[in-house]
Structure formats: structure tokens, C-alpha cells
Amino acid sequence: MSMDLGAVNDQIRATHEGLGQVRSMEYAKNLTANNNLEDVIPVGDRIVVSLKAWPAQSIKGIFMPESYTVIRGQQYVTEVVAVGEDVKLVAKGDVVIVSMYSGHHVTTKTGHAKIISEGDILNYKKEADMKKTLSFDPRTFSPGINYILVELIEKKTVKSDGGIIMQVGEDDAFNTTDVATKTAKVIAVGPTNEYGKSYKDIKIGSVIIFDAYVGMAMNANEVTDAEKYRIMFSNDILGFIIQK
């Protein structure tokens, strides 16, 4: 004899009604939702970060205290709540920026959070530095493990055979089916681990070439006219340009 789900639940409840409440799907809850965020303890290289609200910043750099956001582009600006025993890069109270697609979402009684790996950190800022100046300018952050922060070189000046000065973009493809590359100046370099390549030529001020689709835009303001900075893996560098 077949029964629908409701009949099955009724039968289970009738069978076990003398044993107290049955912990079935009907009663199951995410236990983290009944606990405070501070009660969640990460392990190993895991980090608990709070998805707290940060004041939005206009394109002119002006903070708008009545407008709040946790999303800037494709990233979350988060605050470290707890770290596992193997974490060395950040500590409780530091501010980290992570991709909105990384880590694992956790709902608690005192707020939403993510559990991420130390390697998920795109860039970070120590708590004391964030308290000095509430700034989301990428240049005030340090890149995460194996990451570099670059400033895009949008245009370059060239002189034609006829002596005409022209402005061209570095991403001008030979034809529309080509995958374009970009050029940028390295402005900050993060630490490397066993999975990262150590290029001896990578230093602040180096001009690099990379695929247009790697990395993630990282701008100082909530709204911007054009991408200016990008965080990317050092492994994604294709080459260097010798500056003359």
C-alpha cells in the first residue's frame, strides 16, 4: 500500500507520540539560526566573517550614512569574527574583501555570515588601519595570498608614421573574435604559498600583460564610471613590458 508524505508523517507521529517530539523534517531547523554569530568556531584555515553593513561611498568619495551595502561590485566587504588555528593572515576585527561566490553562507541569530578559507581573501586591512580612516580604496588594503593588485593602463599614446599622436586602448583586438589582453601596473603584492609562483620580476611598479577576463574589478567607490583597479592571481601574468 502506498501513502503520500502527509500520511507517512501521521503514521510516524502516531507510532512515536509516547516518546516525545519526533525530530522529523517538519521540526528540523538550521541550528546556527538559534545561536549567536560568536558561537560559530572555525577550524584549520577557515575564517568566520560577518556580512555587516558598511556605508556606501559615492563616485566622488563621499560617504552616505543613510545608504548601506555589503556588496561592492562582485565582492563582500566583511569583518572577521573568528579565525581557525592555522590562519596567519588576519585576526578578529580585521576587514577582508571576498568574492560574493566564495565560502559558505551561515545564518545566525545575530546576523548573516560566511565561513571562508584563508585563500579566499582577495585583500584585507587590519582593524586599527580601518578605524583610522573608513576607506574602501583598494590601495589602502593588502592583497591576499597569491594575489596582486594592479592599476589598469586604459590608454597609451602612440605616434603614427605620419607623426600623428593617437590614443589607443590596450585591449583593442585584431578582430572581434580575438581574446583581448590588458596591461596594468602592479601596485601591491600579497604573500605566496606552495600553490603560487614566485616571479622574481614582480615588484611594485612593474607593467604586466594579462588576459582580459582574469581577476576581479576592485574600485574605491560604490559607483564608478570605469574599472580602474583589479585583483588577480600572480599566476595569471602572461608577461612584462620593459619600460624605457
Side-chain angles (χ1 to χ4, degrees):
M1 180 179 65
S2 62
M3 293 187 294
D4 62 18
L5 182 58
V8 171
N9 283 336
D10 289 341
Q11 185 183 63
I12 293 174
R13 187 178 298 106
T15 304
H16 296 86
E17 60 183 2
L19 302 177
Q21 186 182 62
V22 179
R23 291 192 60 79
S24 65
M25 290 179 60
E26 182 179 350
Y27 301 106
K29 292 182 178 179
N30 186 342
L31 292 182
T32 60
N34 298 323
N35 290 272
N36 294 326
L37 181 55
E38 292 73 17
D39 298 330
V40 180
I41 307 300
V43 299
D45 72 339
R46 306 290 183 177
I47 303 168
V48 178
V49 293
S50 170
L51 300 183
K52 64 176 290 184
W54 298 91
Q57 192 175 7
S58 73
I59 193 170
K60 299 296 184 181
I62 299 173
F63 288 103
M64 299 172 287
E66 293 183 358
S67 176
Y68 292 86
T69 182
V70 293
I71 301 175
R72 293 178 182 277
Q74 297 181 35
Q75 300 98 37
Y76 283 126
V77 180
T78 68
E79 183 176 29
V80 176
V81 176
V83 299
E85 62 273 15
D86 296 332
V87 174
K88 298 179 175 60
L89 201 62
V90 296
K92 181 179 179 180
D94 293 345
V95 177
V96 302
I97 298 179
V98 298
S99 167
M100 62 188 299
Y101 306 108
S102 66
H104 307 273
H105 191 95
V106 177
T107 301
T108 74
K109 189 165 59 176
T110 52
H112 293 275
K114 271 183 175 285
I115 298 179
I116 64 170
S117 296
E118 189 172 31
D120 291 327
I121 296 174
L122 299 176
N123 52 11
Y124 67 97
K125 184 187 286 191
K126 305 305 290 183
E127 179 182 16
D129 294 332
M130 195 66 175
K131 285 183 175 179
K132 288 179 184 177
T133 55
L134 181 60
S135 173
F136 300 104
D137 190 325
R139 293 170 298 181
T140 66
F141 284 72
S142 300
I145 298 172
N146 299 329
Y147 282 101
I148 59 173
L149 181 66
V150 301
E151 183 176 359
L152 297 182
I153 301 173
E154 296 292 342
K155 298 290 182 180
K156 57 178 179 254
T157 302
V158 297
K159 182 183 291 187
S160 69
D161 293 338
I164 300 174
I165 302 296
M166 299 181 296
Q167 294 284 330
V168 298
E170 86 291 341
D171 57 352
D172 293 333
F174 184 70
N175 61 62
T176 56
T177 62
D178 284 343
V179 176
T181 58
K182 286 184 176 290
T183 56
K185 181 173 67 175
V186 177
I187 59 177
V189 179
T192 59
N193 62 13
E194 66 272 23
Y195 301 108
K197 293 180 180 178
S198 180
Y199 295 105
K200 64 180 181 180
D201 294 326
I202 294 181
K203 56 181 181 293
I204 295 175
S206 295
V207 176
I208 63 169
I209 305 169
F210 59 97
D211 186 281
Y213 300 107
V214 303
M216 188 174 294
M218 185 157 293
N219 296 304
N221 304 316
E222 176 65 16
V223 180
T224 183
D225 289 333
E227 178 186 355
K228 185 174 183 181
Y229 303 104
R230 187 175 294 200
I231 194 84
M232 56 180 282
F233 281 122
S234 57
N235 286 6
D236 286 328
I237 294 176
L238 299 176
F240 295 88
I241 296 178
I242 298 176
Q243 296 175 277
K244 297 180 179 180

